[in-house]
Amino acid sequence: SSAAIITKLLKENDQLFHLTALKNLTDVILEEIKKEIKEKKYKAVFFLDLGASKLKKIFELKEYGKIFVLDHHQINESLNLYKSDDFFFIYSSELSSSVLCYLFAKQFNISTAKIAMVGLVGDNLNKELSRYNSLVIEEAIKEGVQKKRTVSFFPATEPLPHVLRKNLSENKENDILKKASIKVRSEKGLKSIVDLNGEELSRLITTLLLNKADEENLIEDIYLVSFCNKLFDIREVVAMINACGKLNAFGLGVAFLLESPVLDEVENIYIEYKRKLLEALKAIEKVEKKKGNSYLIINAKSKISDVLISNVISIVMNSFSDPNVLLFCGWAYENDKQIKISARIKGNTEIN
């Protein structure tokens, strides 16, 4: 979403540009960037959602053009070392990179709140109502994003029986719908959560609570957004963009956020991503694992793709039954020389 925001800014100011996606920023890649800047005489280079860990090397590039770094990752050095009229470091550890890019574009009167909402929700910051997060939500609603207080099941725009089947631990969807007295079919087809009227929603919530649903997380604010003339639960847009990034279709994800007619291609990428993720989850049963009193380590080696290991660890963490296990760590081979490591801590727990 950060790339889509800056792309929109540059396009609407009639600037020619070249967009590149990086898995990580290494010294070797920075040397290649330096060479390219010198050869092609770029006026400016933007580093989005990365760069905070390589400020010293990036700062050197100011000799060849203006440098912009918009990042929210942790920094471990003094910013006083990096002062120049040709170097701009826009940073906050409390905001997503998409919000930083939104605020930057806003200075040029470019409206990107709807796109920034995708990044905000993707980083789970839509529930942390800081000044700038609230500003993004407020302006996104003005741009057509809909906010609804409803059942949190994902995705809220899919047919209700399908959503209940995905989100309930057992196949109880028909029983739940019967007890809630909800007629699923309407003139437009199968109803979704967002199609329910107030009475139907109230009955569904009551029935779910009586069936021991998680009361604390059952109701929340969800956001509905239109891209390419189709209404989505914004959480599904996050998943689709994530899929494009994971399957090397980064450009399609950016084009989709900019309303280019690529919906079919992006949905096909999303279907393929879910298929690969399902295969990865099945592979969990066969890989080496080590469980301690408070941790689980998964050594996937080459049996799970390095681009999927972080998603797999998150899913394992959220579905793991032992409440004492709080730290989840996994790794997969990235290539012959590198290993991708992903770690998650459940809840807000501190682990010593």
Side-chain angles (χ1 to χ4, degrees), residues 239-256:
M240 292 164 70
I241 299 303
N242 182 55
C244 288
K246 296 289 187 181
L247 298 189
N248 295 318
F250 174 79
L252 273 178
V254 171
F256 175 72

Side-chain angles (χ1 to χ4, degrees), residues 155-327:
T157 49
E158 277 196 9
L160 193 52
H162 302 174
V163 176
L164 292 176
R165 192 177 307 127
K166 287 179 181 179
N167 288 272
L168 298 174
S169 57
E170 300 174 12
N171 294 328
K172 294 181 177 179
E173 65 274 9
N174 291 329
D175 185 47
I176 293 289
L177 291 169
K178 184 177 179 180
K179 289 179 178 178
S181 301
I182 294 175
K183 295 181 179 179
V184 177
R185 293 196 176 275
S186 68
E187 294 179 358
K188 297 179 181 180
L190 292 176
K191 292 180 182 177
S192 66
I193 287 174
V194 298
D195 293 326
L196 299 179
N197 61 38
E199 290 185 3
E200 289 172 326
L201 181 60
S202 179
R203 292 199 300 270
L204 176 61
I205 292 169
T206 300
T207 305
L208 289 169
L209 290 173
L210 290 173
N211 279 268
K212 300 180 180 180
D214 181 358
E215 182 175 357
E216 183 178 351
N217 298 308
L218 181 61
I219 309 297
E220 67 177 37
D221 291 330
I222 67 164
Y223 297 90
L224 305 176
V225 61
S226 177
F227 282 104
C228 299
N229 298 314
K230 181 176 179 180
L231 189 67
F232 291 94
D233 179 333
I234 200 168
R235 296 170 296 178
E236 188 164 27
V237 175
V238 171
M240 292 164 70
I241 299 303
N242 182 55
C244 288
K246 296 289 187 181
L247 298 189
N248 295 318
F250 174 79
L252 273 178
V254 171
F256 175 72
L257 292 175
L258 294 174
E259 306 279 1
S260 297
V262 294
L263 177 59
D264 289 345
E265 293 95 322
V266 171
E267 288 186 327
N268 287 336
I269 289 285
Y270 187 37
I271 290 169
E272 177 65 9
Y273 167 75
K274 289 190 286 187
R275 185 188 66 78
K276 288 180 177 290
L277 187 57
L278 183 59
E279 290 177 354
L281 291 171
K282 289 180 180 178
I284 283 289
E285 301 174 6
K286 304 175 184 178
V287 303
E288 179 184 346
K289 293 180 284 292
K290 182 177 181 180
K291 181 179 176 295
N293 291 332
S294 61
Y295 66 86
L296 177 69
I297 297 174
I298 298 173
N299 183 4
K301 298 182 179 179
S302 58
K303 292 181 180 177
I304 294 176
S305 167
D306 64 288
V307 300
L308 295 176
I309 189 65
S310 61
N311 304 78
V312 169
I313 293 300
S314 293
I315 292 171
V316 170
M317 179 184 73
N318 290 326
S319 60
F320 206 71
S321 58
D322 188 341
N324 296 313
V325 176
L326 302 173
L327 175 63

Side-chain angles (χ1 to χ4, degrees), residues 124-140:
N124 292 314
L125 293 175
N126 53 296
K127 299 173 186 177
E128 297 181 16
L129 297 182
S130 68
R131 173 188 172 189
Y132 293 117
N133 290 347
S134 297
L135 177 63
V136 169
I137 294 171
E138 180 183 326
E139 294 206 358

Side-chain angles (χ1 to χ4, degrees), residues 89-131:
F89 183 44
I90 302 168
Y91 170 80
S92 172
S93 61
E94 298 177 356
L95 300 176
S96 68
S97 287
S98 63
V99 174
L100 292 173
C101 291
Y102 154 81
L103 292 170
F104 183 79
K106 188 176 175 65
Q107 301 305 308
F108 300 89
N109 296 315
I110 304 298
S111 181
T112 60
K114 186 171 80 168
I115 302 173
M117 271 297 296
V118 177
L120 195 69
V121 172
D123 285 335
N124 292 314
L125 293 175
N126 53 296
K127 299 173 186 177
E128 297 181 16
L129 297 182
S130 68
R131 173 188 172 189

